[in-house]
Amino acid sequence: MITLDEFTIQQLRLYPQATGELSGLLRGIGLAAKMVNVQVNKAAIADILGEDGGAVNVQGETVQKLDTMANNTFINVLRHGIHCAGIVSEENEEMIVFDDPKNNQSKYVVLMDPLDGSSNTDVNAPIGTIFSIYRRVSKLGEPCTREDFLQKGDNQFAAGYVLYGSSTMFVYGTRRHSVNGFTLDNSVGEFYLSNPHMQMPIEGKTYHFDYKYYHGVDEKVRSFLNYCNATVEGKDGRFANKNAGCMVADMHRIFLKGGMFLYPSRKSKPNGKLRLMYECNPMAFLTELCGGSATDGTRRIMEIEPTDYHERTPIFIGSKNLVAQFESCADQREA
Ligand code: P6P
């Protein structure tokens, strides 16, 4: 029964040259996640459900009260720590620079979706937090810059997510070691290692797609969807369709059981809906660390050179063989 804090400290022994700063940052994110978890669990009786006064964020989405709570919690915890120089958040148009001598010395910046799937909050369905950690490219001792954040996904140093579900889990991986999952024991307020060395099955039996978009996606995607739901020997469809309305919940199932998540572009969203920097890149980082694949339909997600904090991308991500099957369907269509 090893805690998240102890695990991050023990990882230091594997890398004597490590300064302990990444471990400290991950503990800070874990602390903020525990604080958000408390609020999420009592939202219905603490009057923090529903819309936040009709506010609309940079995404054009109506902000939920829990979005604002989660965003403020992560920003405040990381600002008061000493391991993060700044944040890009789904909820804020511009980067948030922690322009303080203690933070300017930090090597890391964080991009995050503080509360993914927040429309699920009112119906007690799963929600999550997604984060991506980069080493700064700007000069330490000075405020972080736009260039620190606009790095391609292959440059990520660590990434992870928190799933506020039937249990609350903290899952992260770094480029130096595997992906590990921790489950929160609410009675003591500690995350304990529950899923060491996570590996994504190379096959799967679920595909995660919202069929309300079926007629808006291109023919290549429809051919794969038809492959997935085709009946086999006149019996049930080949794969089960799931859609949690929360990427974190959908992807957590895929990390554990295999499967594939599809959020393609469509006529009304030519670049797709999901954000490259704090949804697709971190999930692609974890997926490849666990042996899976992540593409935008033409290239690896983590090869995309970003030009904007909030840019969107189509994404097809999950078990290696399923993504390969999708690509072969697409190739056949093109042929
Ligand atoms: P839609 C949640 O808002 C989210 O960012 C992902 O977690 C989820 O997979 C997707 O958008 C759902 O979006 O508009 O299809 O409900």
Side-chain angles (χ1 to χ4, degrees), residues 61 90 113 116-119 210 212-213 243 245-248 250 261 263 266 273-275 279:
E61 297 165 348
E90 182 198 31
D113 182 354
D116 173 64
S118 52
S119 57
D210 190 335
K212 75 180 175 185
Y213 304 132
N243 175 30
C246 169
M247 186 186 197
V248 169
D250 284 315
F261 177 89
Y263 207 110
R266 57 182 190 264
K273 173 191 179 184
L274 299 188
R275 277 58 55 141
E279 289 175 317

Side-chain angles (χ1 to χ4, degrees), residues 1-4 7 180-183 191-197:
M1 288 287 277
I2 183 172
T3 66
L4 171 65
F7 183 86
N180 292 276
F182 302 80
T183 298
F191 282 108
Y192 286 101
L193 181 63
S194 54
N195 301 69
H197 302 296

Side-chain angles (χ1 to χ4, degrees), residues 304-321:
I304 299 173
E305 289 288 355
T307 56
D308 181 87
Y309 300 142
H310 304 293
E311 69 183 72
R312 301 170 190 266
T313 177
I315 184 167
F316 307 92
I317 182 172
S319 294
K320 195 174 190 64
N321 289 2

Side-chain angles (χ1 to χ4, degrees), residues 76-89:
N76 292 335
V77 168
L78 294 182
R79 184 196 302 276
H80 289 93
I82 57 171
H83 305 299
C84 180
I87 287 181
V88 157
S89 167

Side-chain angles (χ1 to χ4, degrees), residues 1-257:
M1 288 287 277
I2 183 172
T3 66
L4 171 65
D5 290 7
E6 181 60 27
F7 183 86
T8 58
I9 292 166
Q10 287 185 10
Q11 288 301 310
L12 292 176
R13 285 215 189 121
L14 305 177
Y15 309 102
Q17 77 282 9
T19 62
E21 196 167 345
L22 178 65
S23 299
L25 175 55
L26 288 163
R27 290 197 299 277
I29 294 172
L31 171 62
K34 288 189 278 192
M35 294 164 75
V36 168
N37 180 63
V38 168
Q39 296 304 317
V40 164
N41 286 171
K42 68 180 184 182
I45 51 179
D47 189 27
I48 49 176
L49 282 180
E51 295 180 0
D52 189 8
V56 174
N57 65 15
V58 63
Q59 319 292 340
E61 297 165 348
T62 304
V63 177
Q64 305 292 310
K65 290 177 185 173
L66 280 176
D67 284 319
T68 303
M69 175 279 298
N71 196 42
N72 293 340
T73 300
F74 279 98
I75 291 169
N76 292 335
V77 168
L78 294 182
R79 184 196 302 276
H80 289 93
I82 57 171
H83 305 299
C84 180
I87 287 181
V88 157
S89 167
E90 182 198 31
E91 299 302 331
N92 300 82
E93 186 161 4
E94 294 304 326
M95 66 178 172
I96 301 160
V97 178
F98 297 158
D99 186 3
D100 176 299
K102 68 178 175 62
N103 295 94
N104 288 346
Q105 289 297 337
S106 171
K107 292 185 290 197
Y108 298 108
V109 292
V110 174
L111 298 98
M112 68 183 332
D113 182 354
L115 208 61
D116 173 64
S118 52
S119 57
N120 279 351
T121 51
D122 292 358
V123 294
N124 205 18
I127 51 181
T129 296
I130 312 172
F131 62 89
S132 174
I133 298 172
Y134 287 87
R135 275 242 173 103
R136 292 174 59 180
V137 296
S138 61
K139 188 165 180 281
L140 298 192
E142 294 176 7
C144 59
T145 64
R146 182 178 173 81
E147 290 69 29
D148 289 328
F149 295 98
L150 289 180
Q151 301 184 55
K152 65 181 178 179
D154 274 329
N155 292 5
Q156 290 174 99
F157 204 77
Y161 61 84
V162 184
L163 173 59
Y164 311 98
S166 49
S167 68
T168 295
M169 283 198 70
F170 185 103
V171 176
Y172 85 92
T174 75
R175 61 168 49 176
R176 284 179 176 156
H177 68 82
S178 59
V179 178
N180 292 276
F182 302 80
T183 298
L184 182 63
D185 179 340
N186 282 298
S187 63
V188 294
E190 287 286 3
F191 282 108
Y192 286 101
L193 181 63
S194 54
N195 301 69
H197 302 296
M198 290 166 63
Q199 284 298 307
M200 184 181 286
I202 61 169
E203 299 289 355
K205 291 293 183 190
T206 60
Y207 64 111
H208 301 242
F209 174 75
D210 190 335
Y211 268 89
K212 75 180 175 185
Y213 304 132
Y214 180 79
H215 297 290
V217 299
D218 70 37
E219 183 49 41
K220 292 182 287 187
V221 176
R222 280 206 295 273
S223 65
F224 177 71
L225 294 172
N226 297 339
Y227 162 78
C228 289
N229 62 41
T231 55
V232 179
E233 297 163 4
K235 297 180 183 137
D236 297 333
R238 184 176 274 117
F239 300 140
N241 177 236
K242 303 277 183 185
N243 175 30
C246 169
M247 186 186 197
V248 169
D250 284 315
M251 284 305 301
H252 186 66
R253 176 189 285 272
I254 292 168
F255 279 112
L256 298 185
K257 307 283 188 185

